[in-house]
Amino acid sequence: MSTRRISSIVSLFRADPATSSLLLFAPLTLAAGQLLNSYVNGVSPVVSLAFAVTMVAFAVAATGHHAAEQHLRTLESEFGSAN
């Protein structure tokens, strides 16, 4: 992961920590919980793995969308104050 991407995620968490945490950590926690539940109850992991992959993909897409929104807000505030 590049330094720019890491600093972007850090700045995203600084700007809006509640939304960033919900969009990133909630799906990952659900995925881990489902995998653990499947293991504990002896259920076939096929459905749990599919769910986990979907939740990870959702977390990546939602965090990317949130970063784009934050970037747009930053640009609008910079150019809005210049006029």
Side-chain angles (χ1 to χ4, degrees):
M1 187 177 281
S2 69
T3 306
R4 183 175 179 198
R5 180 167 269 177
I6 291 172
S7 65
S8 174
I9 291 174
V10 169
S11 65
L12 184 64
F13 272 90
R14 285 184 182 156
D16 195 1
T19 304
S20 300
S21 296
L22 284 174
L23 290 175
L24 185 62
F25 296 127
L28 297 179
T29 303
L30 283 171
Q34 184 64 27
L35 289 171
L36 182 64
N37 183 36
S38 172
Y39 176 74
V40 167
N41 292 317
V43 179
S44 173
V46 174
V47 174
S48 296
L49 283 174
F51 179 79
V53 168
T54 302
M55 286 290 102
V56 169
F58 173 79
V60 169
T63 303
H65 184 267
H66 182 55
E69 284 180 334
Q70 186 64 33
H71 184 66
L72 181 61
R73 276 190 227 117
T74 304
L75 288 174
E76 287 175 344
S77 68
E78 288 176 5
F79 287 112
S81 62
N83 290 331

